[in-house]
Amino acid sequence: PFGARGLTPHPLAKRVKISNTLLRLSTLDVEAWVRGEIANRFAEAEESAFMTGNGAQQPLGIFNAACTLPTDVTCTSSTTIAYADLVGVETALKTGYQAGASWIFHRTILGELNVILDGNGRPLLREIPNAGTAISLFGYPINRSEYAPSSSATGLYVGGLGNWKRAYWIVDSLNTTIQVVDQLYAATNQTGYFGRKETDGMVVDGNGVIRLKMG
């Protein structure tokens, strides 16, 4: 809608420092290691922002209060997630978004869900056949994120169900670049590698996400 927040990729930089002695003596493929390490640091920073970022010079996270959605489901209890609360989330997601939808939870919240039983006394979380340790809830796969909400305290979001490919857009405007700096850290006999990219993200279709919030 007019006047809404726009997607504007913002700069993101990460640094890796390596001992010059290691560079000189190691048989390690240093360039490959640096690329992998910087990629991991970018992934952590981006995932954190996609979950809870405030949208100011960074992505607007799914679970940030500034991200307003048409429908949130509130738990009947302020301290405990109940079976009926999760049913309410699954029911609230419109049919057109159900194919390809999945849950997002922090591992501590999953720990709470692991003790919930369905109406027949069976564990609510089910293993997905032939998928290793993957589990599902009401048939939808579960994504674990260290940066999703981890507390079930009063008034906080604890997770969500969504068709993320349709609902949450990520926009990059600069391919990752790596700059080698061999003088800045001369005093400590190190070489620095600076990785840079630009990215943004936000929910663009609020009907495709249903969040669960403590009462």
Side-chain angles (χ1 to χ4, degrees), residues 1-213:
F2 292 109
R5 179 184 184 275
L7 282 159
T8 305
H10 304 291
L12 175 63
K14 290 296 176 182
R15 179 190 66 184
V16 173
K17 293 191 294 183
I18 300 179
S19 161
N20 288 331
T21 302
L22 177 63
L23 289 175
R24 187 175 67 255
L25 300 178
S26 177
T27 58
L28 175 71
D29 184 342
V30 174
E31 290 187 1
W33 182 86
V34 167
R35 287 195 299 269
E37 185 65 18
I38 287 178
N40 288 337
R41 296 187 187 190
F42 276 146
E44 291 176 359
E46 290 176 299
E47 184 178 344
S48 176
F50 297 153
M51 293 295 104
T52 58
N54 62 18
Q57 300 302 310
Q58 62 178 280
L60 179 59
I62 299 161
F63 299 108
N64 189 286
C67 177
T68 56
L69 301 178
T71 305
D72 284 333
V73 172
T74 302
C75 294
T76 54
S77 168
S78 61
T79 58
T80 304
I81 303 171
Y83 174 75
D85 301 324
L86 296 166
V87 171
V89 175
E90 195 271 339
T91 303
L93 186 65
K94 294 181 179 180
T95 303
Y97 296 92
Q98 291 177 0
S102 60
W103 299 87
I104 291 180
F105 292 110
H106 188 276
R107 55 187 165 80
T108 60
I109 302 300
L110 280 176
E112 297 183 32
L113 301 186
N114 267 317
V115 300
I116 300 177
L117 305 179
D118 66 14
N120 295 314
R122 300 171 299 185
L124 190 58
L125 304 186
R126 309 286 176 80
E127 292 185 0
I128 300 177
N130 304 315
T133 59
I135 54 177
S136 68
L137 175 58
F138 301 133
Y140 298 101
I142 295 176
N143 301 299
R144 298 174 175 87
S145 174
E146 284 295 300
Y147 303 99
S150 59
S151 172
S152 55
T154 303
L156 298 182
Y157 293 114
V158 290
L161 173 66
N163 189 315
W164 309 110
K165 288 184 178 181
R166 292 180 59 182
Y168 196 93
W169 283 11
I170 297 170
V171 175
D172 296 321
S173 69
L174 175 67
N175 291 331
T176 301
T177 61
I178 298 178
Q179 179 183 7
V180 182
V181 181
D182 58 3
Q183 298 298 319
L184 183 61
Y185 306 106
T188 56
N189 193 35
Q190 293 175 302
T191 294
Y193 296 82
F194 288 83
R196 304 181 190 280
K197 67 178 300 187
E198 294 179 359
T199 191
D200 197 9
M202 63 180 289
V203 172
V204 296
D205 186 350
N207 291 313
V209 180
I210 307 296
R211 296 176 298 196
L212 179 62
K213 186 176 184 180

